[in-house]
Every structure is written in structure tokens, then in C-alpha cells.
Amino acid sequence: MRHIKYLALLLAVILLCACTRQESIDIFAFCDRFNAFYDEEILKTETLFQEADNAQEYNTEFTFYAGHTALLSVTVDETDTVTGFQLTVVPEDTAFDEAAKQALFDTFVTLTATLTAAESTQDALIGVTAAGISAENLGFADFGYAGEYEGRQYAVFSGEQYISLFCAAL
């Protein structure tokens, strides 16, 4: 009878551990987690590429808003655990209006939620805004800002030809 109690206790511990949020994820789980926020496959693992065989960065291009694409660069460590990302857009033929700016910001927040294993994008938004990043910071003009919140570095840099948003573990 005593063995059954220990086995039941061990099983309960295993099940509880399986239900906790997992922050350390690989690139494929990162894509799956991001796509789950949208209930569709936006980040496609088959489009990921690396510049070199031993590169610690995966890149992919995807549409974040009608007529607007972004380059996503995801950084991994030596164990292939995702440690950060950079989201970059360049001017396109389609106007970068307020709706596109908000869509870019919302995508950044969702990527941050994915990286930090946040329960919701609203939870991630708290960290992003606490670090000082907002949709108002986005535009094709010379600008740079970096901030920190709860062990993460957040940044936005832009110029006439690009906007880049960053989030990474400190």
C-alpha cells in the first residue's frame, strides 16, 4: 500500500511539471507557440533558414499585415534554445499607415509573449510598455530606444529605410 502512495505522489508531481509553462523552447516550438496565438500558421517552420551551418540565428519572412512583410531573426544558444528575436521591416510600395504601425507593434507583442511564455499577449504588453516601447515609437525616421523589464532587453531602432524591434534575455 505504501508503494502505491509513493507512485501516486510521483505521478502527481510529474503531471504538475508537465502542466507548467515552458520558457526554454527551440525554434520549432517557438513557431508553434506564436501560431497558437493567431490560430493559424503564420510562421512556417519550412521557411526558416540559417546563413551558415553553425549560425545561432534562424530567419524567415512573413506577412504581418495586408501588403506588409517583416523579416524575423530568432537567436538561439548552443543548445538551440530560443534566447531572443529581432523583427525588421523596410518601406514597401504599400503605405505604412497607422493600421500597419499598430499591426507591427501587435506582432512584436505577440512575439514577446511567445518568447517569455506569457499567458496572454496582454501580459506581454505590460512588459513591453514597462520597458518603454510603444506603437508611437514606430516609423521610418531616425530613432533609437532600449529598455529593460524583468530580465529582458527591449529595443526599437529605426531610420528612413528600416524599423527594427528587439527582445532578448539579459
PDB file of all heavy atoms in Angstrom, residues 27-48:
ATOM      1  N   ILE A  27      13.333  26.471 -31.753  1.00  0.00           N
ATOM      2  CA  ILE A  27      12.737  27.306 -32.792  1.00  0.00           C
ATOM      3  C   ILE A  27      11.399  26.755 -33.281  1.00  0.00           C
ATOM      4  O   ILE A  27      10.481  27.512 -33.590  1.00  0.00           O
ATOM      5  CB  ILE A  27      13.725  27.515 -33.966  1.00  0.00           C
ATOM      6  CG1 ILE A  27      13.182  28.514 -34.983  1.00  0.00           C
ATOM      7  CG2 ILE A  27      14.063  26.198 -34.637  1.00  0.00           C
ATOM      8  CD1 ILE A  27      13.050  29.909 -34.480  1.00  0.00           C
ATOM      9  N   PHE A  28      11.254  25.442 -33.332  1.00  0.00           N
ATOM     10  CA  PHE A  28      10.015  24.848 -33.829  1.00  0.00           C
ATOM     11  C   PHE A  28       8.870  25.052 -32.835  1.00  0.00           C
ATOM     12  O   PHE A  28       7.756  25.393 -33.223  1.00  0.00           O
ATOM     13  CB  PHE A  28      10.234  23.366 -34.153  1.00  0.00           C
ATOM     14  CG  PHE A  28      11.317  23.187 -35.179  1.00  0.00           C
ATOM     15  CD1 PHE A  28      12.576  22.733 -34.816  1.00  0.00           C
ATOM     16  CD2 PHE A  28      11.097  23.519 -36.509  1.00  0.00           C
ATOM     17  CE1 PHE A  28      13.584  22.597 -35.760  1.00  0.00           C
ATOM     18  CE2 PHE A  28      12.093  23.389 -37.460  1.00  0.00           C
ATOM     19  CZ  PHE A  28      13.343  22.928 -37.087  1.00  0.00           C
ATOM     20  N   ALA A  29       9.166  24.892 -31.545  1.00  0.00           N
ATOM     21  CA  ALA A  29       8.157  25.158 -30.518  1.00  0.00           C
ATOM     22  C   ALA A  29       7.833  26.649 -30.466  1.00  0.00           C
ATOM     23  O   ALA A  29       6.689  27.035 -30.217  1.00  0.00           O
ATOM     24  CB  ALA A  29       8.643  24.663 -29.159  1.00  0.00           C
ATOM     25  N   PHE A  30       8.829  27.494 -30.727  1.00  0.00           N
ATOM     26  CA  PHE A  30       8.600  28.937 -30.779  1.00  0.00           C
ATOM     27  C   PHE A  30       7.574  29.274 -31.867  1.00  0.00           C
ATOM     28  O   PHE A  30       6.623  30.016 -31.623  1.00  0.00           O
ATOM     29  CB  PHE A  30       9.933  29.652 -31.058  1.00  0.00           C
ATOM     30  CG  PHE A  30       9.839  31.155 -31.103  1.00  0.00           C
ATOM     31  CD1 PHE A  30       9.950  31.909 -29.937  1.00  0.00           C
ATOM     32  CD2 PHE A  30       9.665  31.812 -32.307  1.00  0.00           C
ATOM     33  CE1 PHE A  30       9.876  33.294 -29.980  1.00  0.00           C
ATOM     34  CE2 PHE A  30       9.590  33.196 -32.366  1.00  0.00           C
ATOM     35  CZ  PHE A  30       9.696  33.937 -31.201  1.00  0.00           C
ATOM     36  N   CYS A  31       7.767  28.706 -33.046  1.00  0.00           N
ATOM     37  CA  CYS A  31       6.813  28.940 -34.147  1.00  0.00           C
ATOM     38  C   CYS A  31       5.422  28.417 -33.787  1.00  0.00           C
ATOM     39  O   CYS A  31       4.418  29.095 -34.031  1.00  0.00           O
ATOM     40  CB  CYS A  31       7.307  28.273 -35.430  1.00  0.00           C
ATOM     41  SG  CYS A  31       8.763  29.070 -36.145  1.00  0.00           S
ATOM     42  N   ASP A  32       5.360  27.220 -33.218  1.00  0.00           N
ATOM     43  CA  ASP A  32       4.069  26.644 -32.828  1.00  0.00           C
ATOM     44  C   ASP A  32       3.361  27.519 -31.801  1.00  0.00           C
ATOM     45  O   ASP A  32       2.156  27.755 -31.895  1.00  0.00           O
ATOM     46  CB  ASP A  32       4.254  25.233 -32.256  1.00  0.00           C
ATOM     47  CG  ASP A  32       4.640  24.217 -33.308  1.00  0.00           C
ATOM     48  OD1 ASP A  32       4.477  24.498 -34.523  1.00  0.00           O
ATOM     49  OD2 ASP A  32       5.134  23.134 -32.925  1.00  0.00           O
ATOM     50  N   ARG A  33       4.108  28.009 -30.812  1.00  0.00           N
ATOM     51  CA  ARG A  33       3.519  28.846 -29.760  1.00  0.00           C
ATOM     52  C   ARG A  33       3.016  30.164 -30.348  1.00  0.00           C
ATOM     53  O   ARG A  33       1.923  30.623 -30.014  1.00  0.00           O
ATOM     54  CB  ARG A  33       4.556  29.101 -28.660  1.00  0.00           C
ATOM     55  CG  ARG A  33       4.000  29.813 -27.447  1.00  0.00           C
ATOM     56  CD  ARG A  33       5.050  30.076 -26.415  1.00  0.00           C
ATOM     57  NE  ARG A  33       5.463  28.848 -25.745  1.00  0.00           N
ATOM     58  CZ  ARG A  33       6.469  28.792 -24.890  1.00  0.00           C
ATOM     59  NH1 ARG A  33       7.180  29.859 -24.595  1.00  0.00           N
ATOM     60  NH2 ARG A  33       6.785  27.653 -24.315  1.00  0.00           N
ATOM     61  N   PHE A  34       3.804  30.774 -31.230  1.00  0.00           N
ATOM     62  CA  PHE A  34       3.375  32.018 -31.879  1.00  0.00           C
ATOM     63  C   PHE A  34       2.099  31.786 -32.683  1.00  0.00           C
ATOM     64  O   PHE A  34       1.135  32.543 -32.568  1.00  0.00           O
ATOM     65  CB  PHE A  34       4.486  32.548 -32.794  1.00  0.00           C
ATOM     66  CG  PHE A  34       4.096  33.780 -33.564  1.00  0.00           C
ATOM     67  CD1 PHE A  34       4.186  35.037 -32.982  1.00  0.00           C
ATOM     68  CD2 PHE A  34       3.635  33.691 -34.864  1.00  0.00           C
ATOM     69  CE1 PHE A  34       3.825  36.178 -33.688  1.00  0.00           C
ATOM     70  CE2 PHE A  34       3.269  34.822 -35.582  1.00  0.00           C
ATOM     71  CZ  PHE A  34       3.361  36.072 -34.986  1.00  0.00           C
ATOM     72  N   ASN A  35       2.075  30.743 -33.493  1.00  0.00           N
ATOM     73  CA  ASN A  35       0.911  30.448 -34.328  1.00  0.00           C
ATOM     74  C   ASN A  35      -0.331  30.174 -33.491  1.00  0.00           C
ATOM     75  O   ASN A  35      -1.447  30.485 -33.910  1.00  0.00           O
ATOM     76  CB  ASN A  35       1.210  29.283 -35.257  1.00  0.00           C
ATOM     77  CG  ASN A  35       2.234  29.641 -36.320  1.00  0.00           C
ATOM     78  OD1 ASN A  35       2.376  30.806 -36.685  1.00  0.00           O
ATOM     79  ND2 ASN A  35       2.955  28.651 -36.803  1.00  0.00           N
ATOM     80  N   ALA A  36      -0.157  29.609 -32.309  1.00  0.00           N
ATOM     81  CA  ALA A  36      -1.294  29.321 -31.435  1.00  0.00           C
ATOM     82  C   ALA A  36      -2.008  30.609 -30.999  1.00  0.00           C
ATOM     83  O   ALA A  36      -3.224  30.603 -30.812  1.00  0.00           O
ATOM     84  CB  ALA A  36      -0.836  28.533 -30.204  1.00  0.00           C
ATOM     85  N   PHE A  37      -1.270  31.710 -30.877  1.00  0.00           N
ATOM     86  CA  PHE A  37      -1.902  32.985 -30.526  1.00  0.00           C
ATOM     87  C   PHE A  37      -2.854  33.448 -31.620  1.00  0.00           C
ATOM     88  O   PHE A  37      -3.818  34.148 -31.353  1.00  0.00           O
ATOM     89  CB  PHE A  37      -0.860  34.075 -30.268  1.00  0.00           C
ATOM     90  CG  PHE A  37      -0.248  34.016 -28.894  1.00  0.00           C
ATOM     91  CD1 PHE A  37       1.067  33.613 -28.726  1.00  0.00           C
ATOM     92  CD2 PHE A  37      -0.974  34.369 -27.771  1.00  0.00           C
ATOM     93  CE1 PHE A  37       1.644  33.565 -27.470  1.00  0.00           C
ATOM     94  CE2 PHE A  37      -0.421  34.326 -26.507  1.00  0.00           C
ATOM     95  CZ  PHE A  37       0.899  33.917 -26.355  1.00  0.00           C
ATOM     96  N   TYR A  38      -2.578  33.081 -32.870  1.00  0.00           N
ATOM     97  CA  TYR A  38      -3.399  33.517 -34.006  1.00  0.00           C
ATOM     98  C   TYR A  38      -4.342  32.435 -34.529  1.00  0.00           C
ATOM     99  O   TYR A  38      -5.144  32.693 -35.410  1.00  0.00           O
ATOM    100  CB  TYR A  38      -2.494  33.975 -35.167  1.00  0.00           C
ATOM    101  CG  TYR A  38      -1.786  35.269 -34.878  1.00  0.00           C
ATOM    102  CD1 TYR A  38      -0.475  35.278 -34.424  1.00  0.00           C
ATOM    103  CD2 TYR A  38      -2.425  36.492 -35.063  1.00  0.00           C
ATOM    104  CE1 TYR A  38       0.182  36.476 -34.167  1.00  0.00           C
ATOM    105  CE2 TYR A  38      -1.780  37.685 -34.808  1.00  0.00           C
ATOM    106  CZ  TYR A  38      -0.469  37.667 -34.357  1.00  0.00           C
ATOM    107  OH  TYR A  38       0.171  38.852 -34.101  1.00  0.00           O
ATOM    108  N   ASP A  39      -4.202  31.223 -34.036  1.00  0.00           N
ATOM    109  CA  ASP A  39      -4.993  30.085 -34.516  1.00  0.00           C
ATOM    110  C   ASP A  39      -4.828  29.859 -36.020  1.00  0.00           C
ATOM    111  O   ASP A  39      -5.757  29.441 -36.704  1.00  0.00           O
ATOM    112  CB  ASP A  39      -6.489  30.242 -34.183  1.00  0.00           C
ATOM    113  CG  ASP A  39      -6.767  30.076 -32.701  1.00  0.00           C
ATOM    114  OD1 ASP A  39      -6.059  29.283 -32.045  1.00  0.00           O
ATOM    115  OD2 ASP A  39      -7.694  30.732 -32.197  1.00  0.00           O
ATOM    116  N   GLU A  40      -3.656  30.185 -36.535  1.00  0.00           N
ATOM    117  CA  GLU A  40      -3.326  29.891 -37.930  1.00  0.00           C
ATOM    118  C   GLU A  40      -1.804  29.833 -38.060  1.00  0.00           C
ATOM    119  O   GLU A  40      -1.074  30.341 -37.208  1.00  0.00           O
ATOM    120  CB  GLU A  40      -3.911  30.920 -38.891  1.00  0.00           C
ATOM    121  CG  GLU A  40      -3.319  32.310 -38.769  1.00  0.00           C
ATOM    122  CD  GLU A  40      -3.883  33.266 -39.810  1.00  0.00           C
ATOM    123  OE1 GLU A  40      -3.548  33.101 -40.997  1.00  0.00           O
ATOM    124  OE2 GLU A  40      -4.642  34.164 -39.424  1.00  0.00           O
ATOM    125  N   GLU A  41      -1.354  29.230 -39.141  1.00  0.00           N
ATOM    126  CA  GLU A  41       0.085  29.078 -39.341  1.00  0.00           C
ATOM    127  C   GLU A  41       0.645  30.300 -40.068  1.00  0.00           C
ATOM    128  O   GLU A  41       0.608  30.391 -41.293  1.00  0.00           O
ATOM    129  CB  GLU A  41       0.390  27.799 -40.128  1.00  0.00           C
ATOM    130  CG  GLU A  41       1.867  27.496 -40.180  1.00  0.00           C
ATOM    131  CD  GLU A  41       2.176  26.230 -40.938  1.00  0.00           C
ATOM    132  OE1 GLU A  41       1.416  25.865 -41.851  1.00  0.00           O
ATOM    133  OE2 GLU A  41       3.201  25.620 -40.621  1.00  0.00           O
ATOM    134  N   ILE A  42       1.163  31.235 -39.290  1.00  0.00           N
ATOM    135  CA  ILE A  42       1.772  32.444 -39.840  1.00  0.00           C
ATOM    136  C   ILE A  42       3.272  32.221 -40.010  1.00  0.00           C
ATOM    137  O   ILE A  42       3.833  32.495 -41.066  1.00  0.00           O
ATOM    138  CB  ILE A  42       1.486  33.657 -38.942  1.00  0.00           C
ATOM    139  CG1 ILE A  42      -0.026  33.941 -38.950  1.00  0.00           C
ATOM    140  CG2 ILE A  42       2.279  34.872 -39.397  1.00  0.00           C
ATOM    141  CD1 ILE A  42      -0.474  34.965 -37.951  1.00  0.00           C
ATOM    142  N   LEU A  43       3.910  31.727 -38.940  1.00  0.00           N
ATOM    143  CA  LEU A  43       5.323  31.357 -39.026  1.00  0.00           C
ATOM    144  C   LEU A  43       5.400  29.909 -39.467  1.00  0.00           C
ATOM    145  O   LEU A  43       4.912  29.019 -38.781  1.00  0.00           O
ATOM    146  CB  LEU A  43       6.020  31.531 -37.676  1.00  0.00           C
ATOM    147  CG  LEU A  43       6.141  32.941 -37.141  1.00  0.00           C
ATOM    148  CD1 LEU A  43       6.885  32.937 -35.814  1.00  0.00           C
ATOM    149  CD2 LEU A  43       6.845  33.852 -38.141  1.00  0.00           C
ATOM    150  N   LYS A  44       6.004  29.685 -40.603  1.00  0.00           N
ATOM    151  CA  LYS A  44       6.103  28.338 -41.166  1.00  0.00           C
ATOM    152  C   LYS A  44       7.524  27.818 -40.967  1.00  0.00           C
ATOM    153  O   LYS A  44       8.484  28.437 -41.444  1.00  0.00           O
ATOM    154  CB  LYS A  44       5.740  28.356 -42.645  1.00  0.00           C
ATOM    155  CG  LYS A  44       4.298  28.789 -42.893  1.00  0.00           C
ATOM    156  CD  LYS A  44       4.028  28.901 -44.378  1.00  0.00           C
ATOM    157  CE  LYS A  44       2.649  29.219 -44.794  1.00  0.00           C
ATOM    158  NZ  LYS A  44       1.727  29.876 -44.059  1.00  0.00           N
ATOM    159  N   THR A  45       7.645  26.712 -40.264  1.00  0.00           N
ATOM    160  CA  THR A  45       8.975  26.183 -39.965  1.00  0.00           C
ATOM    161  C   THR A  45       9.741  25.812 -41.232  1.00  0.00           C
ATOM    162  O   THR A  45      10.963  25.905 -41.254  1.00  0.00           O
ATOM    163  CB  THR A  45       8.888  24.970 -39.023  1.00  0.00           C
ATOM    164  OG1 THR A  45       8.019  23.993 -39.598  1.00  0.00           O
ATOM    165  CG2 THR A  45       8.362  25.367 -37.658  1.00  0.00           C
ATOM    166  N   GLU A  46       9.034  25.454 -42.291  1.00  0.00           N
ATOM    167  CA  GLU A  46       9.736  25.086 -43.525  1.00  0.00           C
ATOM    168  C   GLU A  46      10.356  26.293 -44.228  1.00  0.00           C
ATOM    169  O   GLU A  46      11.184  26.124 -45.134  1.00  0.00           O
ATOM    170  CB  GLU A  46       8.828  24.307 -44.480  1.00  0.00           C
ATOM    171  CG  GLU A  46       7.618  25.062 -44.969  1.00  0.00           C
ATOM    172  CD  GLU A  46       6.378  24.890 -44.091  1.00  0.00           C
ATOM    173  OE1 GLU A  46       6.489  24.337 -42.977  1.00  0.00           O
ATOM    174  OE2 GLU A  46       5.305  25.329 -44.516  1.00  0.00           O
ATOM    175  N   THR A  47      10.003  27.515 -43.828  1.00  0.00           N
ATOM    176  CA  THR A  47      10.610  28.698 -44.448  1.00  0.00           C
ATOM    177  C   THR A  47      11.786  29.242 -43.638  1.00  0.00           C
ATOM    178  O   THR A  47      12.429  30.206 -44.062  1.00  0.00           O
ATOM    179  CB  THR A  47       9.574  29.829 -44.636  1.00  0.00           C
ATOM    180  OG1 THR A  47       9.131  30.279 -43.349  1.00  0.00           O
ATOM    181  CG2 THR A  47       8.398  29.365 -45.485  1.00  0.00           C
ATOM    182  N   LEU A  48      12.080  28.635 -42.496  1.00  0.00           N
ATOM    183  CA  LEU A  48      13.215  29.074 -41.677  1.00  0.00           C
ATOM    184  C   LEU A  48      14.518  28.749 -42.391  1.00  0.00           C
ATOM    185  O   LEU A  48      14.659  27.692 -43.004  1.00  0.00           O
ATOM    186  CB  LEU A  48      13.206  28.363 -40.327  1.00  0.00           C
ATOM    187  CG  LEU A  48      12.060  28.684 -39.385  1.00  0.00           C
ATOM    188  CD1 LEU A  48      12.038  27.703 -38.238  1.00  0.00           C
ATOM    189  CD2 LEU A  48      12.172  30.105 -38.873  1.00  0.00           C
TER     190      LEU A  48
END
